Amino acid sequence: MNDVDDQLREVLPRMRRFAVSLTRDYSSADDLVQSSLEKALSVWDSKRPDGDLRAWLFSILYRQFLDAHRRSRRYNRMLELFTGGKEDHFEPSVERTIVAQTTLQAFDRLNTEQRALLLWVTVEGLTYNQVAEILDVPVGTVMSRLSRARQALRLLSEGEITTPALRILK
């Protein structure tokens, strides 16, 4: 059981980070992680011994979130997730700050599934196979959905920044 405890302790911060990204609230995220761990421990015998523990726990957490989301549609701003971390020792340029804020606002407007896919792959570093296991869909579906999520984020980000139209003079 010590090995299981060590594995759970290792994945706990990642689960919390993912939960915060979904709920957009630290206390709600803690509740979600706790309920997910309770669920995981209650169905521990159904876990495949050769399966990836992290992917299995993320799957439970995501499904717990969806269940809770169906009951309640309260969210906080996504910006809290990114500003709650450690402070940088440099002063970013105004342009970089605006681009970052625009991207975060665009990310906030993505649907839950698109945010989850982008976070799993880009932040958590899960493979397409692991995400496919979490969502219980084929790998090709994950790749397609991820591509659409990236495209949606790009389009939403580009829509926020307006560049003045320049006329070419001869």
Side-chain angles (χ1 to χ4, degrees):
M1 193 65 173
N2 280 342
D3 185 40
V4 173
D5 289 344
D6 292 341
Q7 289 177 355
L8 288 174
R9 279 190 189 95
E10 183 180 323
V11 77
L12 193 61
R14 293 171 181 237
M15 288 179 67
R16 184 168 189 269
R17 179 174 56 217
F18 182 58
V20 169
S21 74
L22 291 174
T23 64
R24 301 176 191 163
D25 179 67
Y26 291 103
S27 62
S28 297
D30 289 339
D31 293 342
L32 179 59
V33 169
Q34 180 178 348
S35 67
S36 299
L37 287 174
E38 288 173 3
K39 175 76 171 176
L41 292 173
S42 71
V43 295
W44 191 265
D45 295 336
S46 69
K47 179 181 130 3
R48 290 190 337 225
D50 62 336
D52 183 5
L53 176 66
R54 185 173 58 161
W56 184 67
L57 290 172
F58 275 133
S59 175
I60 291 172
L61 189 141
Y62 184 62
R63 289 190 182 5
Q64 291 281 104
F65 169 75
L66 290 178
D67 291 345
H69 180 63
R70 288 182 185 112
R71 290 186 300 266
S72 171
R73 296 185 180 257
R74 286 180 241 144
Y75 289 110
N76 289 326
R77 302 287 304 158
M78 182 67 159
L79 197 53
E80 291 176 20
L81 171 67
F82 293 96
T83 59
K86 55 185 177 179
E87 297 179 17
D88 293 329
H89 297 293
F90 66 92
E91 191 68 31
S93 70
V94 173
E95 180 181 359
R96 288 183 67 161
T97 302
I98 290 172
V99 169
Q101 288 174 344
T102 301
T103 303
L104 287 174
Q105 289 169 353
F107 187 80
D108 190 39
R109 291 197 322 247
L110 292 174
N111 67 43
T112 301
E113 182 180 283
Q114 289 176 328
R115 284 194 322 269
L117 280 169
L118 287 170
L119 282 165
W120 282 329
V121 172
T122 59
V123 176
E124 295 300 331
L126 294 178
T127 65
Y128 294 165
N129 288 331
Q130 290 170 320
V131 174
E133 186 179 318
I134 291 170
L135 296 175
D136 196 25
V137 297
V139 174
T141 303
V142 170
M143 294 168 64
S144 174
R145 290 178 183 176
L146 187 59
S147 174
R148 285 195 298 272
R150 287 176 175 153
Q151 181 180 16
L153 181 62
R154 191 170 27 258
L155 291 174
L156 287 170
S157 295
E158 290 171 356
E160 292 293 323
I161 301 173
T162 56
T163 54
L166 298 177
R167 233 175 69 202
I168 300 176
L169 301 173
K170 292 186 180 185

